Amino acid sequence: MKRVLYILPALFLIVFACKKDQETKPNHRLPATDSSLMGAWKLSSYAQSSGGPVIWQPATADIRYAFYSANVFQSYGDSGKFDHYMITTGISTTAALDTILKIYQHDKADTAYYYLKITTDTLYLNNIGCIEGCGSKFIRSGTIVD
């Protein structure tokens, strides 16, 4: 019986004294900067809501975005009318700073604004003009095919 009393604390000491390696999530949130955004992205899913919960659906269109240096933007599979981008911040209804992606055509007034969230492998764009909840989720892809 004494052995059990000695083994039990020793077992607890071994189990709880071992340093646990903290897993680093490979897809952690990144600061939304030009360098974190640069590269090729492919639409993987979209979300829409008509007053109810926002539900993500698999993408049905092959839409690809590419962000290059000097704020150059290209899109494939959609209207393709924008050719530049800019990252800014704005105040949201929660009084926190939101990261905003502005996509526009150089020397034109037509502009699209999105709330931007980015991780290592995923880009979330939520159209600022969408009241009921909508968004697009892009995954990082290797190349852009015209």
Side-chain angles (χ1 to χ4, degrees):
M1 186 66 174
K2 285 185 179 182
R3 287 186 199 168
V4 172
L5 291 175
Y6 290 121
I7 293 175
L8 193 58
L11 184 61
F12 280 118
L13 182 62
I14 291 170
V15 169
F16 293 110
C18 294
K19 182 179 177 183
K20 305 280 190 255
D21 290 335
Q22 291 187 355
E23 292 182 29
T24 56
K25 294 183 179 180
N27 207 18
H28 62 282
R29 189 167 179 171
L30 299 173
T33 62
D34 291 334
S35 62
S36 65
L37 189 59
M38 276 195 211
W41 300 89
K42 179 181 178 174
L43 180 66
S44 65
S45 56
Y46 66 94
Q48 290 183 322
S49 171
S50 57
V54 175
I55 299 171
W56 289 96
Q57 302 289 328
T60 55
D62 184 18
I63 296 175
R64 297 171 187 257
Y65 288 171
F67 298 88
Y68 300 103
S69 61
N71 295 81
V72 174
F73 170 79
Q74 288 183 317
S75 65
Y76 302 89
D78 62 357
S79 65
K81 63 183 178 180
F82 301 122
D83 59 6
H84 283 78
Y85 74 95
M86 179 187 304
I87 297 174
T88 62
T89 56
I91 305 288
S92 73
T93 55
T94 61
L97 285 178
D98 282 324
T99 303
I100 297 171
L101 175 66
K102 173 183 171 183
I103 300 176
Y104 61 97
Q105 186 171 354
H106 188 65
D107 295 332
K108 303 283 181 173
D110 197 12
T111 305
Y113 294 92
Y114 298 93
Y115 291 116
L116 168 68
K117 183 177 120 180
I118 189 169
T119 64
T120 306
D121 301 327
T122 310
L123 169 66
Y124 298 91
L125 298 178
N126 296 309
N127 190 317
I128 290 178
C130 184
I131 297 170
E132 295 179 348
C134 56
S136 301
K137 187 187 306 183
F138 291 79
I139 56 171
R140 198 175 288 276
S141 64
T143 58
I144 293 287
V145 178
D146 196 9

